[in-house]
Amino acid sequence: MNRRQWLYSAGILAGVSQAAAAELAGDEPTSPSPSGESRPLLLSEYEPKSMLAVTATHVARSRFPAIDIHTHISFSKRSEKGVELAPERKYLATPEELLPVMDATNLRAMVNLTGGFEVGLADSVAKYDKAFPGRFFTFTEPSYSRFKEANYPQLQAQAIERAHLNGAKGLKLLKTLGLYLREDITSGTLVKIDDRRFDPMWDTCAQLEMPVAIHVSDPIAFFTPTDRFNERYEELSNHPDWSFYDHDFPSNQELLKARNRVIARHPKTQFIVLHVGNFAENLANVAENLEQFPNMTVDIAARIGELGRQPRAARRFFDAYQDRILFGTDATPHGNEFPQQLFGNELYQIYFRFLETGDEYFDYAPAKIPPQGRWKIYGIELPEPILKKVYCQNAARQLHLSVS
Ligand SMILES: [Zn+2]
């Protein structure tokens, strides 16, 4: 095997043109044979078709009406270096576009976590929640643009009170806190998740019984080099800005520890720790946290790729924490760049298949190439009482809804 062949087989040259690869390897560029057969196959072109003859169950609708606790129907009109700065919203889909998919898949409600604040929030609530009662719920977000003001802790607490009056059901934190927000908002040192300036905000959420949906850190592979050993190599190559390796970023462990200090310090605040407690790769760690913090629940958004590749551990996890796991998908209308979040019937049906069936070895995202890593998943066949809780009852409790 020459150096170029070795680089190919190691995946290092995936996505690199053959000529460029040859140049990298120090070879003379070679022209492919007329049939193209002698050319080494690029990882990015590899689309193996499974030869397994296994059951494929089409689950068109969830067994019980579902609440998707984690969607993004709107985003900030302006953000800089990962920090959302504008209250005004940019809408990704109208309710009229969303409702047919919701009705077809048995989705009772969508929770738009990125509802913004002030005028943006009010507008969002008016357009969705008030226009279609019971079908949409909106969360507010911190106003980081005011972070430099001396009385920010009080201002932010008051903003939560106003958001509550304006109809916000909870508070959402993107991974901005811990990874993007800095002392001078977009420059300076990173602000820690357990920074005391946010204490009044967490406490106000407890007083108003608003759950906090918090995204902290990211898949652990995003904190390791984007190299041939990285299991999410292609994903990080497609989105290089998702890598938190190096620079001045804290480690995954530091982020989770700071988050845990917040959860411990605010026992009356309910924390929905998104993406399976942000550590779906390590369910033992998530279980340990759930044992330690009674005020913590998790959602499964954008992590069935992780849960479904460890189906036995996942099933034990659902059995043990069936009252504290919420159905969520991270669905984003027109989110074609990240198919694992692309709102539509297909996305929901994959989640239903994972939760409800014992099907084996199927795609976790509506995409030609598995976008979060080259593996497939297995269903976990949850029994009806657990399905009912995960699809609806657990979320209804967090949102104070009376549903059957
Ligand atoms: Zn999300």
Side-chain angles (χ1 to χ4, degrees), residues 70 72 172 275 330:
H70 189 156
H72 299 286
K172 153 77 170 178
H275 308 300
D330 221 353

Side-chain angles (χ1 to χ4, degrees), residues 341-361:
Q341 294 175 228
L342 180 58
F343 175 84
N345 295 37
E346 217 182 336
L347 180 74
Y348 284 107
Q349 287 159 359
I350 294 172
Y351 274 76
F352 304 156
R353 190 178 178 194
F354 164 66
L355 294 168
E356 296 183 24
T357 80
D359 282 5
E360 300 190 286
Y361 202 70

Side-chain angles (χ1 to χ4, degrees), residues 250-328:
S251 68
N252 179 59
Q253 202 194 15
E254 282 174 86
L255 291 165
L256 298 189
K257 277 187 170 171
R259 175 203 72 193
N260 285 357
R261 287 193 292 272
V262 171
I263 301 177
R265 216 155 67 201
H266 302 277
K268 291 185 180 148
T269 309
Q270 283 297 327
F271 290 91
I272 305 171
V273 187
L274 305 171
H275 308 300
V276 196
N278 287 110
F279 209 176
E281 299 90 334
N282 188 338
L283 293 179
N285 172 282
V286 185
E288 202 179 293
N289 292 328
L290 284 165
E291 292 296 334
Q292 199 182 346
F293 306 118
N295 56 330
M296 169 179 171
T297 54
V298 300
D299 84 353
I300 60 168
R303 293 296 179 275
I304 55 167
E306 301 301 329
L307 295 168
R309 63 169 166 156
Q310 44 179 332
R312 287 178 288 272
R315 176 58 199 272
R316 287 193 295 273
F317 182 78
F318 274 83
D319 284 342
Y321 302 105
Q322 54 187 272
D323 296 306
R324 298 167 70 187
I325 303 172
L326 281 60
F327 176 74

Side-chain angles (χ1 to χ4, degrees), residues 4-75:
R4 176 160 51 92
Q5 284 165 334
W6 178 83
L7 287 168
Y8 271 121
S9 65
I12 286 178
L13 297 182
V16 177
S17 77
Q18 195 196 16
E23 204 179 296
L24 262 174
D27 296 357
E28 287 299 310
T30 51
S31 47
S33 72
S35 66
E37 275 163 19
S38 67
R39 183 169 74 81
L41 179 67
L42 298 177
L43 178 59
S44 56
E45 293 172 356
Y46 188 47
E47 288 175 55
K49 299 272 174 268
S50 168
M51 295 289 118
L52 283 180
V54 287
T55 311
T57 315
H58 179 67
V59 188
R61 296 166 59 80
S62 55
R63 185 103 40 104
F64 301 103
I67 296 174
D68 188 342
I69 195 76
H70 189 156
T71 76
H72 299 286
I73 301 175
S74 60
F75 272 111

